[in-house]
Amino acid sequence: MLETKIHNLTLKNPVMTASGTFGYGEEFADFIDLNRLGGIVVKGTTGERRQGNAYPRMAETPSGMLNAVGLQNVGVDTFCEKVYDRIKDLDTNVIVNVSGSSIEEYCTVAEKINALENIPAIELNISCPNVKKGGMGFGTNPDMAAQVVSEVRKVYDKTLIVKLTPNVTSVVDIAKAVEQAGADSVSLINTMLGMAIDVERQRPYLSTITGGLSGPCVKPVAVRMVWQVAHAVQIPVIGLGGITCAADALEFLMAGAKAVEVGTANFMDPTVTIKIIEGLEDYCKRHKINDINEIIGII
Amino acid sequence: MKQITDFRIVERLQLGEHYFMLKVQHPDTMQPIQPGQFVEVEVKDSREVMLRRPISIHDVDAMANTMSLLIQIVGNGTRKLAELKVGDKLNIIYPLGNGFSVEGKRPLLVGGGAGTAPLLHLAKCYNEKGVRPVILLGGRTADLIPVKEPFAQYGELLIATDDGSMGEKGMVTQHSRFADDYDHIATCGPTPMMKAVARHAKEKGIACEVSLENMMACGIGACLCCVQDTQEGHKCVCKDGPVFDPLTLNNWM
Ligand SMILES: Cc1cc2nc3c(=O)[nH]c(=O)nc-3n(C[C@H](O)[C@H](O)[C@H](O)COP(=O)(O)OP(=O)(O)OC[C@H]3O[C@@H](n4cnc5c(N)ncnc54)[C@H](O)[C@@H]3O)c2cc1C
Ligand SMILES: Cc1cc2nc3c(=O)[nH]c(=O)nc-3n(C[C@H](O)[C@H](O)[C@H](O)COP(=O)(O)O)c2cc1C
Ligand code: FES
């Protein structure tokens, strides 16, 4: 009933977790059966181990939060040698979010992940607002976005998802450019660049001054962008941004997403993904829908 | 194992203007809890608050399946939690973090403000090992030390207040008994207080544990928002802490 496809990937349901909000999945194993998820997108992984930005890295804002984690991660080699073994036997799609500061770094990471049998896809993060070099730079210019995708395409032969930033004037132009360059799917949105000031202390809340906004407050923007992109490209679209319940997920599906990712909501309720899956099942029953694909892109 | 559970509030105590205590009961069998561990509580029906709030576990009654939370009202979330009444449900993720080691034969526990919270369960755990700690609590005024008497049951209770309204006048580090011969110090409270305590411990070569209160989003090691800079790189206060040996922290003391 809930099965969907993203290129060569079969998802038992359209609910995945968003990179950077779900660790390597293990952090949630006490709370939910990870095997019930459609997919898990693990933490952004770079060529070398990264320390990320200085504390404080988080500020709560109305119906959302700003983060400036800055891609803290163990690096691709430690991921392959240590982390992979712990998560490779999960009965779900484990997808690695690949980040970098240069085209070479993206390619090195992608090539190493390509060799891991049980990682069926990568999500190329060309949209992180929290790193000084690269990151969002690649995702805000159609030519550069196309360039990094076509280079990665040469070394990566499984499902290549490209994650897009909302911090652009035309997300459709970027989506078309990465489709042309060989992406198998696009996911959107990453966080929106934002800022908050502690007026009592008269300084910004984040050590980096600006950071990435996520949570329910970004959802209408994300739904709009997913709808625009879904109408402009042929490849499957994955929608995310502010999803906290089945109705939110359905908005993205109706706007044209073949699957969704849940991010910040995992912090509020570590069992939220399962509730969303059950909510989708319930919705299909109530509306006599046999196959969730019937409602994908109906708007 | 970590759990997400609807606890029921079985007792609520207002402790002066700024503090209140909630005793909450597990519907079934509560998980074992180490001293110094904390919970992430949900704040319902708030326009401003989306994320959970981390709160230390103040007291535990395993037989009754209850724990107590001592909460200081500082902002929107804690103000909303203060409205909870007996009988209400409180959704809690627990037990989180590492906890104190409960080591030493002559331990000193130093608390300030809301930081006194985890020290009660800690004092009890020392008692279970046959050790009676010295417990030194500080605050600007007596009113700002929310819980005092219950500590006297589990150790020698000493008080320091800035205005001299109770105990000795001055800061905890100026208390006449602060520099006694202890073999272990555990502290939780305002950062300047913990730093002063940790510096003293370092000078005297006494083992020390501090409990940090970095801002958290998830509380379970997933978001990497709560990091502290340590000799082994950024560590999550929610998962690798909140209790740390201050000697392992970079640029902290
Ligand atoms: C591991 C841990 C254990 C804690 N245990 C307790 C406890 O037992 N009792 C208790 O009363 N509080 C405890 N705290 C602090 C408590 O989490 C914060 O006071 C609370 O989150 C504030 O929420 P709020 O919405 O009321 O305030 P907000 O509106 O979020 O903030 C109001 C003010 O409080 C400050 N503040 C917010 N969060 C923190 C924090 N984590 N540390 C210090 N200052 C903060 C803000 O900077 C701001 O100035 C603990 C924190 C941690 C990390
Ligand atoms: C703490 C935090 C860390 C994140 N880290 C990453 C990351 O490493 N790579 C990435 O592509 N997106 C990262 N994101 C963005 C999310 O995956 C997601 O795109 C965004 O938060 C919007 O979804 P949400 O509103 O459901 O959280 C992060 C978000 C948060 C809140
Ligand atoms: S609060 Fe999310 S990792 Fe500590």
Side-chain angles (χ1 to χ4, degrees):
Chain A
M1 185 164 64
L2 293 184
E3 192 173 293
T4 59
K5 288 200 84 153
I6 298 289
H7 186 241
N8 288 334
L9 296 187
T10 303
L11 314 185
K12 52 183 96 165
N13 61 65
V15 181
M16 306 200 278
T17 60
S19 176
T21 65
F22 207 69
Y24 293 112
E26 303 161 304
E27 291 79 0
F28 290 79
D30 278 356
F31 304 107
I32 62 169
D33 177 2
L34 298 171
N35 296 327
R36 287 184 66 186
L37 299 170
I40 297 175
V41 185
V42 304
K43 220 169 275 184
T45 301
T46 52
E48 306 289 333
R49 172 172 189 239
R50 286 206 197 183
Q51 273 295 312
N53 295 320
Y55 178 85
R57 293 173 167 188
M58 188 277 284
E60 189 171 2
T61 55
S63 296
M65 63 177 277
L66 289 165
N67 91 83
V69 171
L71 293 179
Q72 176 177 332
N73 78 100
V74 295
V76 67
D77 292 329
T78 306
F79 177 83
C80 294
E81 286 155 26
K82 296 216 173 95
V83 183
Y84 174 63
D85 258 352
R86 305 200 302 253
I87 56 178
K88 70 176 177 6
D89 296 322
L90 286 172
D91 179 24
T92 182
N93 295 294
V94 179
I95 298 169
V96 177
N97 181 269
V98 170
S99 299
S101 309
S102 65
I103 291 183
E104 297 74 54
E105 186 177 2
Y106 280 107
C107 290
T108 311
V109 179
E111 204 170 353
K112 287 180 179 172
I113 303 292
N114 201 36
L116 303 177
E117 195 183 352
N118 292 354
I119 305 290
I122 59 173
E123 179 179 63
L124 205 63
N125 175 13
I126 57 167
S127 49
C128 183
N130 291 327
V131 284
K132 283 205 191 72
K133 268 194 334 178
M136 197 164 78
F138 289 102
T140 53
N141 176 313
D143 295 332
M144 280 176 71
Q147 207 186 338
V148 62
V149 172
S150 61
E151 291 303 317
V152 168
R153 183 77 281 181
K154 289 178 193 159
V155 298
Y156 190 77
D157 55 26
K158 298 187 225 172
T159 301
L160 174 57
I161 303 161
V162 179
K163 186 167 181 178
L164 307 180
T165 172
N167 304 310
V168 291
T169 34
S170 171
V171 70
V172 165
D173 289 350
I174 312 280
K176 282 183 174 165
V178 302
E179 178 182 39
Q180 279 259 305
D184 299 317
S185 167
V186 287
S187 58
L188 67 157
I189 58 173
N190 206 316
T191 54
M192 299 180 68
L193 198 57
M195 177 169 166
I197 298 168
D198 182 341
V199 295
E200 289 302 325
R201 297 187 180 84
Q202 307 191 348
R203 61 180 190 224
Y205 279 108
L206 300 177
S207 68
T208 48
I209 304 176
T210 62
L213 184 66
S214 65
C217 60
V218 306
K219 194 189 69 179
V221 178
V223 173
R224 181 266 293 176
M225 288 190 162
V226 164
W227 178 75
Q228 288 178 317
V229 169
H231 283 274
V233 298
Q234 304 304 313
I235 52 178
V237 176
I238 300 169
L240 73 152
I243 296 174
T244 64
C245 60
D248 293 345
L250 284 159
E251 281 195 64
F252 281 89
L253 299 177
M254 291 181 186
K258 292 274 276 176
V260 297
E261 296 176 12
V262 180
T264 304
N266 291 300
F267 306 157
M268 305 180 247
D269 178 359
T271 66
V272 69
T273 44
I274 302 301
K275 288 178 184 160
I276 293 172
I277 295 168
E278 288 169 354
L280 292 179
E281 283 166 357
D282 180 57
Y283 181 88
C284 288
K285 280 184 202 136
R286 279 194 293 119
H287 290 264
K288 305 206 169 20
I289 295 165
N290 295 321
D291 178 357
I292 191 94
N293 288 287
E294 290 168 25
I295 56 149
I296 287 174
I298 58 169
I299 305 291
Chain B
M1 188 164 127
K2 296 186 202 89
Q3 261 187 355
I4 176 165
T5 307
D6 273 332
F7 280 72
R8 203 169 52 84
I9 296 168
V10 292
E11 204 178 306
R12 186 199 182 282
L13 273 180
Q14 186 67 36
L15 301 164
E17 197 185 333
H18 305 284
Y19 288 89
F20 63 101
M21 184 147 29
L22 296 177
K23 187 189 265 187
V24 297
Q25 186 170 42
H26 194 282
D28 196 350
T29 308
M30 195 164 70
Q31 298 283 318
I33 290 164
Q34 305 303 314
Q37 286 189 306
F38 66 99
V39 301
E40 281 276 1
V41 301
E42 182 184 44
V43 181
K44 273 223 173 94
D45 307 322
S46 166
R47 203 164 55 84
E48 294 89 2
V49 181
M50 174 187 79
L51 298 169
R52 287 167 182 270
R53 293 295 186 258
I55 301 291
S56 302
I57 298 168
H58 175 55
D59 197 6
V60 175
D61 185 342
M63 298 300 286
N65 289 303
T66 61
M67 63 169 129
S68 298
L69 308 176
L70 172 62
I71 303 174
Q72 182 181 18
I73 301 170
V74 298
N76 293 323
T78 47
R79 202 173 301 122
K80 194 78 199 172
L81 291 170
E83 293 171 11
L84 290 167
K85 298 183 296 292
V86 170
D88 289 347
K89 283 194 172 141
L90 185 62
N91 188 268
I92 287 179
I93 302 178
Y94 84 106
L96 302 174
N98 58 354
F100 291 105
S101 64
V102 202
E103 266 165 27
K105 293 269 173 293
R106 298 181 310 283
L108 171 68
L109 318 186
V110 187
T116 52
L119 301 184
L120 188 69
H121 184 40
L122 177 61
K124 272 191 176 178
C125 291
Y126 270 111
N127 285 194
E128 280 162 22
K129 294 178 88 176
V131 175
R132 261 180 86 78
V134 173
I135 302 155
L136 174 55
L137 306 181
R140 267 182 291 126
T141 67
D143 285 349
L144 293 173
I145 306 174
V147 173
K148 297 174 275 274
E149 293 74 19
F151 280 97
Q153 236 180 296
Y154 304 105
E156 183 183 356
L157 176 63
L158 307 171
I159 305 270
T161 50
D162 290 4
D163 67 349
S165 53
M166 193 172 182
E168 288 186 20
K169 187 168 155 62
M171 293 181 291
V172 285
T173 45
Q174 294 166 327
H175 195 281
S176 58
R177 301 282 309 283
F178 175 69
D180 280 5
D181 175 32
Y182 305 103
D183 64 352
H184 193 94
I185 302 180
T187 180
C188 185
T191 307
M193 182 202 86
M194 289 198 289
K195 286 183 177 181
V197 172
R199 279 195 298 268
H200 166 81
K202 185 182 174 188
E203 271 165 33
K204 296 280 162 129
I206 304 170
C208 183
E209 291 176 304
V210 299
S211 183
L212 304 183
E213 294 199 348
N214 292 8
M215 301 286 282
M216 296 181 176
C218 73
I220 58 173
C223 72
L224 307 184
C225 285
C226 63
V227 292
Q228 183 69 35
D229 191 18
T230 77
Q231 285 166 357
E232 292 169 52
H234 278 149
K235 290 210 154 189
C236 288
V237 170
C238 71
K239 194 170 126 190
D240 307 312
V243 178
F244 291 92
D245 175 347
L247 298 176
T248 66
L249 305 179
N250 286 340
N251 311 315
W252 190 79
M253 260 186 269

